[in-house]
mmCIF file with all atom_site columns, all heavy atoms in Angstrom:
data_model
loop_
_atom_site.group_PDB
_atom_site.id
_atom_site.type_symbol
_atom_site.label_atom_id
_atom_site.label_alt_id
_atom_site.label_comp_id
_atom_site.label_asym_id
_atom_site.label_entity_id
_atom_site.label_seq_id
_atom_site.pdbx_PDB_ins_code
_atom_site.Cartn_x
_atom_site.Cartn_y
_atom_site.Cartn_z
_atom_site.occupancy
_atom_site.B_iso_or_equiv
_atom_site.pdbx_formal_charge
_atom_site.auth_seq_id
_atom_site.auth_comp_id
_atom_site.auth_asym_id
_atom_site.auth_atom_id
_atom_site.pdbx_PDB_model_num
ATOM 1   N N   . ALA A 1 922 ? -29.658 -23.316 9.594  1.00 97.00 ? 924 ALA A N   1
ATOM 2   C CA  . ALA A 1 922 ? -29.620 -22.405 10.737 1.00 97.00 ? 924 ALA A CA  1
ATOM 3   C C   . ALA A 1 922 ? -28.646 -22.956 11.771 1.00 97.00 ? 924 ALA A C   1
ATOM 4   O O   . ALA A 1 922 ? -28.259 -24.126 11.733 1.00 97.00 ? 924 ALA A O   1
ATOM 5   C CB  . ALA A 1 922 ? -31.012 -22.239 11.336 1.00 97.00 ? 924 ALA A CB  1
ATOM 6   N N   . GLY A 1 923 ? -28.266 -22.112 12.712 1.00 97.00 ? 925 GLY A N   1
ATOM 7   C CA  . GLY A 1 923 ? -27.290 -22.527 13.701 1.00 97.00 ? 925 GLY A CA  1
ATOM 8   C C   . GLY A 1 923 ? -27.848 -22.517 15.104 1.00 97.00 ? 925 GLY A C   1
ATOM 9   O O   . GLY A 1 923 ? -28.860 -21.870 15.399 1.00 97.00 ? 925 GLY A O   1
ATOM 10  N N   . ILE A 1 924 ? -27.187 -23.231 15.986 1.00 98.00 ? 926 ILE A N   1
ATOM 11  C CA  . ILE A 1 924 ? -27.496 -23.241 17.401 1.00 98.00 ? 926 ILE A CA  1
ATOM 12  C C   . ILE A 1 924 ? -26.313 -22.617 18.146 1.00 98.00 ? 926 ILE A C   1
ATOM 13  O O   . ILE A 1 924 ? -25.158 -22.823 17.785 1.00 98.00 ? 926 ILE A O   1
ATOM 14  C CB  . ILE A 1 924 ? -27.753 -24.678 17.906 1.00 98.00 ? 926 ILE A CB  1
ATOM 15  C CG1 . ILE A 1 924 ? -28.132 -24.668 19.394 1.00 98.00 ? 926 ILE A CG1 1
ATOM 16  C CG2 . ILE A 1 924 ? -26.557 -25.577 17.661 1.00 98.00 ? 926 ILE A CG2 1
ATOM 17  C CD1 . ILE A 1 924 ? -28.540 -26.045 19.922 1.00 98.00 ? 926 ILE A CD1 1
ATOM 18  N N   . ALA A 1 925 ? -26.606 -21.814 19.147 1.00 98.00 ? 927 ALA A N   1
ATOM 19  C CA  . ALA A 1 925 ? -25.560 -21.226 19.984 1.00 98.00 ? 927 ALA A CA  1
ATOM 20  C C   . ALA A 1 925 ? -25.554 -21.933 21.327 1.00 98.00 ? 927 ALA A C   1
ATOM 21  O O   . ALA A 1 925 ? -26.618 -22.284 21.873 1.00 98.00 ? 927 ALA A O   1
ATOM 22  C CB  . ALA A 1 925 ? -25.798 -19.734 20.167 1.00 98.00 ? 927 ALA A CB  1
ATOM 23  N N   . LEU A 1 926 ? -24.371 -22.153 21.859 1.00 98.00 ? 928 LEU A N   1
ATOM 24  C CA  . LEU A 1 926 ? -24.201 -22.796 23.158 1.00 98.00 ? 928 LEU A CA  1
ATOM 25  C C   . LEU A 1 926 ? -23.436 -21.868 24.087 1.00 98.00 ? 928 LEU A C   1
ATOM 26  O O   . LEU A 1 926 ? -22.500 -21.182 23.673 1.00 98.00 ? 928 LEU A O   1
ATOM 27  C CB  . LEU A 1 926 ? -23.427 -24.107 23.012 1.00 98.00 ? 928 LEU A CB  1
ATOM 28  C CG  . LEU A 1 926 ? -24.045 -25.198 22.130 1.00 98.00 ? 928 LEU A CG  1
ATOM 29  C CD1 . LEU A 1 926 ? -23.080 -26.378 22.010 1.00 98.00 ? 928 LEU A CD1 1
ATOM 30  C CD2 . LEU A 1 926 ? -25.376 -25.657 22.687 1.00 98.00 ? 928 LEU A CD2 1
ATOM 31  N N   . SER A 1 927 ? -23.845 -21.879 25.353 1.00 98.00 ? 929 SER A N   1
ATOM 32  C CA  . SER A 1 927 ? -23.134 -21.105 26.360 1.00 98.00 ? 929 SER A CA  1
ATOM 33  C C   . SER A 1 927 ? -22.998 -21.950 27.617 1.00 98.00 ? 929 SER A C   1
ATOM 34  O O   . SER A 1 927 ? -23.964 -22.617 28.019 1.00 98.00 ? 929 SER A O   1
ATOM 35  C CB  . SER A 1 927 ? -23.874 -19.802 26.677 1.00 98.00 ? 929 SER A CB  1
ATOM 36  O OG  . SER A 1 927 ? -23.139 -19.019 27.591 1.00 98.00 ? 929 SER A OG  1
ATOM 37  N N   . ALA A 1 928 ? -21.809 -21.930 28.206 1.00 98.00 ? 930 ALA A N   1
ATOM 38  C CA  . ALA A 1 928 ? -21.573 -22.724 29.415 1.00 98.00 ? 930 ALA A CA  1
ATOM 39  C C   . ALA A 1 928 ? -20.827 -21.871 30.431 1.00 98.00 ? 930 ALA A C   1
ATOM 40  O O   . ALA A 1 928 ? -19.897 -21.144 30.090 1.00 98.00 ? 930 ALA A O   1
ATOM 41  C CB  . ALA A 1 928 ? -20.764 -23.975 29.077 1.00 98.00 ? 930 ALA A CB  1
ATOM 42  N N   . GLU A 1 929 ? -21.291 -21.986 31.691 1.00 98.00 ? 931 GLU A N   1
ATOM 43  C CA  . GLU A 1 929 ? -20.604 -21.332 32.802 1.00 98.00 ? 931 GLU A CA  1
ATOM 44  C C   . GLU A 1 929 ? -20.197 -22.411 33.791 1.00 98.00 ? 931 GLU A C   1
ATOM 45  O O   . GLU A 1 929 ? -21.019 -23.251 34.177 1.00 98.00 ? 931 GLU A O   1
ATOM 46  C CB  . GLU A 1 929 ? -21.517 -20.317 33.476 1.00 98.00 ? 931 GLU A CB  1
ATOM 47  C CG  . GLU A 1 929 ? -21.936 -19.177 32.567 1.00 98.00 ? 931 GLU A CG  1
ATOM 48  C CD  . GLU A 1 929 ? -22.794 -18.152 33.285 1.00 98.00 ? 931 GLU A CD  1
ATOM 49  O OE1 . GLU A 1 929 ? -22.366 -17.667 34.353 1.00 98.00 ? 931 GLU A OE1 1
ATOM 50  O OE2 . GLU A 1 929 ? -23.893 -17.849 32.789 1.00 98.00 ? 931 GLU A OE2 1
ATOM 51  N N   . VAL A 1 930 ? -18.917 -22.383 34.195 1.00 98.00 ? 932 VAL A N   1
ATOM 52  C CA  . VAL A 1 930 ? -18.397 -23.413 35.074 1.00 98.00 ? 932 VAL A CA  1
ATOM 53  C C   . VAL A 1 930 ? -17.611 -22.754 36.194 1.00 98.00 ? 932 VAL A C   1
ATOM 54  O O   . VAL A 1 930 ? -16.908 -21.772 35.984 1.00 98.00 ? 932 VAL A O   1
ATOM 55  C CB  . VAL A 1 930 ? -17.512 -24.417 34.286 1.00 98.00 ? 932 VAL A CB  1
ATOM 56  C CG1 . VAL A 1 930 ? -16.327 -23.731 33.639 1.00 98.00 ? 932 VAL A CG1 1
ATOM 57  C CG2 . VAL A 1 930 ? -17.047 -25.567 35.158 1.00 98.00 ? 932 VAL A CG2 1
ATOM 58  N N   . THR A 1 931 ? -17.753 -23.297 37.407 1.00 98.00 ? 933 THR A N   1
ATOM 59  C CA  . THR A 1 931 ? -17.065 -22.753 38.579 1.00 98.00 ? 933 THR A CA  1
ATOM 60  C C   . THR A 1 931 ? -16.404 -23.889 39.338 1.00 98.00 ? 933 THR A C   1
ATOM 61  O O   . THR A 1 931 ? -16.998 -24.960 39.518 1.00 98.00 ? 933 THR A O   1
ATOM 62  C CB  . THR A 1 931 ? -18.055 -22.026 39.507 1.00 98.00 ? 933 THR A CB  1
ATOM 63  O OG1 . THR A 1 931 ? -18.747 -21.032 38.764 1.00 98.00 ? 933 THR A OG1 1
ATOM 64  C CG2 . THR A 1 931 ? -17.330 -21.371 40.679 1.00 98.00 ? 933 THR A CG2 1
ATOM 65  N N   . ASP A 1 932 ? -15.147 -23.666 39.755 1.00 97.00 ? 934 ASP A N   1
ATOM 66  C CA  . ASP A 1 932 ? -14.494 -24.683 40.559 1.00 97.00 ? 934 ASP A CA  1
ATOM 67  C C   . ASP A 1 932 ? -14.771 -24.428 42.039 1.00 97.00 ? 934 ASP A C   1
ATOM 68  O O   . ASP A 1 932 ? -15.392 -23.429 42.419 1.00 97.00 ? 934 ASP A O   1
ATOM 69  C CB  . ASP A 1 932 ? -12.985 -24.743 40.262 1.00 97.00 ? 934 ASP A CB  1
ATOM 70  C CG  . ASP A 1 932 ? -12.238 -23.483 40.655 1.00 97.00 ? 934 ASP A CG  1
ATOM 71  O OD1 . ASP A 1 932 ? -12.725 -22.724 41.506 1.00 97.00 ? 934 ASP A OD1 1
ATOM 72  O OD2 . ASP A 1 932 ? -11.139 -23.244 40.102 1.00 97.00 ? 934 ASP A OD2 1
ATOM 73  N N   . LYS A 1 933 ? -14.335 -25.324 42.896 1.00 97.00 ? 935 LYS A N   1
ATOM 74  C CA  . LYS A 1 933 ? -14.661 -25.245 44.316 1.00 97.00 ? 935 LYS A CA  1
ATOM 75  C C   . LYS A 1 933 ? -13.937 -24.104 45.033 1.00 97.00 ? 935 LYS A C   1
ATOM 76  O O   . LYS A 1 933 ? -14.267 -23.790 46.179 1.00 97.00 ? 935 LYS A O   1
ATOM 77  C CB  . LYS A 1 933 ? -14.366 -26.580 44.993 1.00 97.00 ? 935 LYS A CB  1
ATOM 78  C CG  . LYS A 1 933 ? -15.341 -27.671 44.572 1.00 97.00 ? 935 LYS A CG  1
ATOM 79  C CD  . LYS A 1 933 ? -15.064 -28.983 45.289 1.00 97.00 ? 935 LYS A CD  1
ATOM 80  C CE  . LYS A 1 933 ? -16.097 -30.040 44.911 1.00 97.00 ? 935 LYS A CE  1
ATOM 81  N NZ  . LYS A 1 933 ? -15.840 -31.339 45.574 1.00 97.00 ? 935 LYS A NZ  1
ATOM 82  N N   . GLN A 1 934 ? -12.974 -23.488 44.345 1.00 97.00 ? 936 GLN A N   1
ATOM 83  C CA  . GLN A 1 934 ? -12.292 -22.329 44.927 1.00 97.00 ? 936 GLN A CA  1
ATOM 84  C C   . GLN A 1 934 ? -12.946 -21.021 44.497 1.00 97.00 ? 936 GLN A C   1
ATOM 85  O O   . GLN A 1 934 ? -12.508 -19.944 44.879 1.00 97.00 ? 936 GLN A O   1
ATOM 86  C CB  . GLN A 1 934 ? -10.812 -22.318 44.531 1.00 97.00 ? 936 GLN A CB  1
ATOM 87  C CG  . GLN A 1 934 ? -9.991  -23.430 45.157 1.00 97.00 ? 936 GLN A CG  1
ATOM 88  C CD  . GLN A 1 934 ? -10.281 -24.799 44.555 1.00 97.00 ? 936 GLN A CD  1
ATOM 89  O OE1 . GLN A 1 934 ? -10.418 -24.936 43.334 1.00 97.00 ? 936 GLN A OE1 1
ATOM 90  N NE2 . GLN A 1 934 ? -10.427 -25.818 45.404 1.00 97.00 ? 936 GLN A NE2 1
ATOM 91  N N   . GLY A 1 935 ? -14.000 -21.122 43.680 1.00 96.00 ? 937 GLY A N   1
ATOM 92  C CA  . GLY A 1 935 ? -14.729 -19.938 43.253 1.00 96.00 ? 937 GLY A CA  1
ATOM 93  C C   . GLY A 1 935 ? -14.256 -19.321 41.959 1.00 96.00 ? 937 GLY A C   1
ATOM 94  O O   . GLY A 1 935 ? -14.779 -18.276 41.541 1.00 96.00 ? 937 GLY A O   1
ATOM 95  N N   . ASN A 1 936 ? -13.313 -19.923 41.284 1.00 97.00 ? 938 ASN A N   1
ATOM 96  C CA  . ASN A 1 936 ? -12.854 -19.403 39.997 1.00 97.00 ? 938 ASN A CA  1
ATOM 97  C C   . ASN A 1 936 ? -13.872 -19.784 38.921 1.00 97.00 ? 938 ASN A C   1
ATOM 98  O O   . ASN A 1 936 ? -14.234 -20.959 38.787 1.00 97.00 ? 938 ASN A O   1
ATOM 99  C CB  . ASN A 1 936 ? -11.483 -19.984 39.642 1.00 97.00 ? 938 ASN A CB  1
ATOM 100 C CG  . ASN A 1 936 ? -10.464 -19.706 40.727 1.00 97.00 ? 938 ASN A CG  1
ATOM 101 O OD1 . ASN A 1 936 ? -10.102 -18.565 40.971 1.00 97.00 ? 938 ASN A OD1 1
ATOM 102 N ND2 . ASN A 1 936 ? -10.003 -20.776 41.393 1.00 97.00 ? 938 ASN A ND2 1
ATOM 103 N N   . ALA A 1 937 ? -14.317 -18.790 38.158 1.00 98.00 ? 939 ALA A N   1
ATOM 104 C CA  . ALA A 1 937 ? -15.401 -19.010 37.201 1.00 98.00 ? 939 ALA A CA  1
ATOM 105 C C   . ALA A 1 937 ? -14.927 -18.785 35.778 1.00 98.00 ? 939 ALA A C   1
ATOM 106 O O   . ALA A 1 937 ? -14.107 -17.891 35.511 1.00 98.00 ? 939 ALA A O   1
ATOM 107 C CB  . ALA A 1 937 ? -16.565 -18.080 37.507 1.00 98.00 ? 939 ALA A CB  1
ATOM 108 N N   . SER A 1 938 ? -15.446 -19.587 34.863 1.00 98.00 ? 940 SER A N   1
ATOM 109 C CA  . SER A 1 938 ? -15.123 -19.451 33.445 1.00 98.00 ? 940 SER A CA  1
ATOM 110 C C   . SER A 1 938 ? -16.400 -19.579 32.638 1.00 98.00 ? 940 SER A C   1
ATOM 111 O O   . SER A 1 938 ? -17.349 -20.251 33.041 1.00 98.00 ? 940 SER A O   1
ATOM 112 C CB  . SER A 1 938 ? -14.120 -20.529 33.002 1.00 98.00 ? 940 SER A CB  1
ATOM 113 O OG  . SER A 1 938 ? -12.933 -20.466 33.761 1.00 98.00 ? 940 SER A OG  1
ATOM 114 N N   . LYS A 1 939 ? -16.411 -18.930 31.464 1.00 98.00 ? 941 LYS A N   1
ATOM 115 C CA  . LYS A 1 939 ? -17.588 -18.960 30.609 1.00 98.00 ? 941 LYS A CA  1
ATOM 116 C C   . LYS A 1 939 ? -17.156 -19.010 29.155 1.00 98.00 ? 941 LYS A C   1
ATOM 117 O O   . LYS A 1 939 ? -16.163 -18.384 28.768 1.00 98.00 ? 941 LYS A O   1
ATOM 118 C CB  . LYS A 1 939 ? -18.457 -17.722 30.843 1.00 98.00 ? 941 LYS A CB  1
ATOM 119 C CG  . LYS A 1 939 ? -19.737 -17.682 30.007 1.00 98.00 ? 941 LYS A CG  1
ATOM 120 C CD  . LYS A 1 939 ? -20.568 -16.443 30.344 1.00 98.00 ? 941 LYS A CD  1
ATOM 121 C CE  . LYS A 1 939 ? -21.849 -16.402 29.517 1.00 98.00 ? 941 LYS A CE  1
ATOM 122 N NZ  . LYS A 1 939 ? -22.672 -15.211 29.838 1.00 98.00 ? 941 LYS A NZ  1
ATOM 123 N N   . VAL A 1 940 ? -17.893 -19.756 28.345 1.00 98.00 ? 942 VAL A N   1
ATOM 124 C CA  . VAL A 1 940 ? -17.654 -19.789 26.913 1.00 98.00 ? 942 VAL A CA  1
ATOM 125 C C   . VAL A 1 940 ? -18.999 -19.735 26.194 1.00 98.00 ? 942 VAL A C   1
ATOM 126 O O   . VAL A 1 940 ? -19.974 -20.384 26.608 1.00 98.00 ? 942 VAL A O   1
ATOM 127 C CB  . VAL A 1 940 ? -16.861 -21.046 26.490 1.00 98.00 ? 942 VAL A CB  1
ATOM 128 C CG1 . VAL A 1 940 ? -17.605 -22.337 26.836 1.00 98.00 ? 942 VAL A CG1 1
ATOM 129 C CG2 . VAL A 1 940 ? -16.519 -20.999 25.006 1.00 98.00 ? 942 VAL A CG2 1
ATOM 130 N N   . THR A 1 941 ? -19.065 -18.941 25.145 1.00 98.00 ? 943 THR A N   1
ATOM 131 C CA  . THR A 1 941 ? -20.261 -18.832 24.311 1.00 98.00 ? 943 THR A CA  1
ATOM 132 C C   . THR A 1 941 ? -19.848 -18.992 22.863 1.00 98.00 ? 943 THR A C   1
ATOM 133 O O   . THR A 1 941 ? -18.907 -18.319 22.400 1.00 98.00 ? 943 THR A O   1
ATOM 134 C CB  . THR A 1 941 ? -20.955 -17.483 24.503 1.00 98.00 ? 943 THR A CB  1
ATOM 135 O OG1 . THR A 1 941 ? -21.315 -17.328 25.877 1.00 98.00 ? 943 THR A OG1 1
ATOM 136 C CG2 . THR A 1 941 ? -22.207 -17.387 23.640 1.00 98.00 ? 943 THR A CG2 1
ATOM 137 N N   . ILE A 1 942 ? -20.536 -19.889 22.141 1.00 98.00 ? 944 ILE A N   1
ATOM 138 C CA  . ILE A 1 942 ? -20.163 -20.199 20.762 1.00 98.00 ? 944 ILE A CA  1
ATOM 139 C C   . ILE A 1 942 ? -21.385 -20.043 19.871 1.00 98.00 ? 944 ILE A C   1
ATOM 140 O O   . ILE A 1 942 ? -22.419 -20.723 20.061 1.00 98.00 ? 944 ILE A O   1
ATOM 141 C CB  . ILE A 1 942 ? -19.607 -21.630 20.654 1.00 98.00 ? 944 ILE A CB  1
ATOM 142 C CG1 . ILE A 1 942 ? -18.358 -21.773 21.541 1.00 98.00 ? 944 ILE A CG1 1
ATOM 143 C CG2 . ILE A 1 942 ? -19.277 -21.975 19.200 1.00 98.00 ? 944 ILE A CG2 1
ATOM 144 C CD1 . ILE A 1 942 ? -17.833 -23.179 21.642 1.00 98.00 ? 944 ILE A CD1 1
ATOM 145 N N   . GLN A 1 943 ? -21.305 -19.136 18.900 1.00 98.00 ? 945 GLN A N   1
ATOM 146 C CA  . GLN A 1 943 ? -22.386 -18.925 17.945 1.00 98.00 ? 945 GLN A CA  1
ATOM 147 C C   . GLN A 1 943 ? -22.238 -19.907 16.789 1.00 98.00 ? 945 GLN A C   1
ATOM 148 O O   . GLN A 1 943 ? -21.126 -20.175 16.320 1.00 98.00 ? 945 GLN A O   1
ATOM 149 C CB  . GLN A 1 943 ? -22.349 -17.492 17.403 1.00 98.00 ? 945 GLN A CB  1
ATOM 150 C CG  . GLN A 1 943 ? -22.470 -16.408 18.465 1.00 98.00 ? 945 GLN A CG  1
ATOM 151 C CD  . GLN A 1 943 ? -23.843 -16.384 19.108 1.00 98.00 ? 945 GLN A CD  1
ATOM 152 O OE1 . GLN A 1 943 ? -24.839 -16.853 18.536 1.00 98.00 ? 945 GLN A OE1 1
ATOM 153 N NE2 . GLN A 1 943 ? -23.921 -15.840 20.321 1.00 98.00 ? 945 GLN A NE2 1
ATOM 154 N N   . ASN A 1 944 ? -23.391 -20.429 16.322 1.00 98.00 ? 946 ASN A N   1
ATOM 155 C CA  . ASN A 1 944 ? -23.413 -21.405 15.222 1.00 98.00 ? 946 ASN A CA  1
ATOM 156 C C   . ASN A 1 944 ? -22.504 -22.590 15.545 1.00 98.00 ? 946 ASN A C   1
ATOM 157 O O   . ASN A 1 944 ? -21.627 -22.962 14.771 1.00 98.00 ? 946 ASN A O   1
ATOM 158 C CB  . ASN A 1 944 ? -22.988 -20.751 13.899 1.00 98.00 ? 946 ASN A CB  1
ATOM 159 C CG  . ASN A 1 944 ? -23.949 -19.675 13.462 1.00 98.00 ? 946 ASN A CG  1
ATOM 160 O OD1 . ASN A 1 944 ? -25.165 -19.894 13.433 1.00 98.00 ? 946 ASN A OD1 1
ATOM 161 N ND2 . ASN A 1 944 ? -23.431 -18.497 13.146 1.00 98.00 ? 946 ASN A ND2 1
ATOM 162 N N   . ALA A 1 945 ? -22.744 -23.174 16.712 1.00 98.00 ? 947 ALA A N   1
ATOM 163 C CA  . ALA A 1 945 ? -21.938 -24.315 17.145 1.00 98.00 ? 947 ALA A CA  1
ATOM 164 C C   . ALA A 1 945 ? -22.022 -25.456 16.133 1.00 98.00 ? 947 ALA A C   1
ATOM 165 O O   . ALA A 1 945 ? -21.023 -26.147 15.888 1.00 98.00 ? 947 ALA A O   1
ATOM 166 C CB  . ALA A 1 945 ? -22.397 -24.784 18.521 1.00 98.00 ? 947 ALA A CB  1
ATOM 167 N N   . TRP A 1 946 ? -23.204 -25.695 15.590 1.00 98.00 ? 948 TRP A N   1
ATOM 168 C CA  . TRP A 1 946 ? -23.364 -26.547 14.419 1.00 98.00 ? 948 TRP A CA  1
ATOM 169 C C   . TRP A 1 946 ? -24.605 -26.097 13.680 1.00 98.00 ? 948 TRP A C   1
ATOM 170 O O   . TRP A 1 946 ? -25.370 -25.259 14.168 1.00 98.00 ? 948 TRP A O   1
ATOM 171 C CB  . TRP A 1 946 ? -23.407 -28.030 14.776 1.00 98.00 ? 948 TRP A CB  1
ATOM 172 C CG  . TRP A 1 946 ? -24.674 -28.533 15.423 1.00 98.00 ? 948 TRP A CG  1
ATOM 173 C CD1 . TRP A 1 946 ? -25.809 -28.941 14.811 1.00 98.00 ? 948 TRP A CD1 1
ATOM 174 C CD2 . TRP A 1 946 ? -24.909 -28.683 16.833 1.00 98.00 ? 948 TRP A CD2 1
ATOM 175 N NE1 . TRP A 1 946 ? -26.748 -29.358 15.717 1.00 98.00 ? 948 TRP A NE1 1
ATOM 176 C CE2 . TRP A 1 946 ? -26.209 -29.211 16.974 1.00 98.00 ? 948 TRP A CE2 1
ATOM 177 C CE3 . TRP A 1 946 ? -24.152 -28.457 17.981 1.00 98.00 ? 948 TRP A CE3 1
ATOM 178 C CZ2 . TRP A 1 946 ? -26.784 -29.490 18.218 1.00 98.00 ? 948 TRP A CZ2 1
ATOM 179 C CZ3 . TRP A 1 946 ? -24.703 -28.742 19.209 1.00 98.00 ? 948 TRP A CZ3 1
ATOM 180 C CH2 . TRP A 1 946 ? -26.012 -29.244 19.328 1.00 98.00 ? 948 TRP A CH2 1
#
Side-chain angles (χ1 to χ4, degrees):
I926 182 174
L928 299 175
S929 184
E931 297 183 53
V932 60
T933 305
D934 65 22
K935 290 182 177 179
Q936 291 73 42
N938 304 294
S940 302
K941 181 178 180 180
V942 60
T943 301
I944 300 173
Q945 301 292 337
N946 296 311
W948 74 85

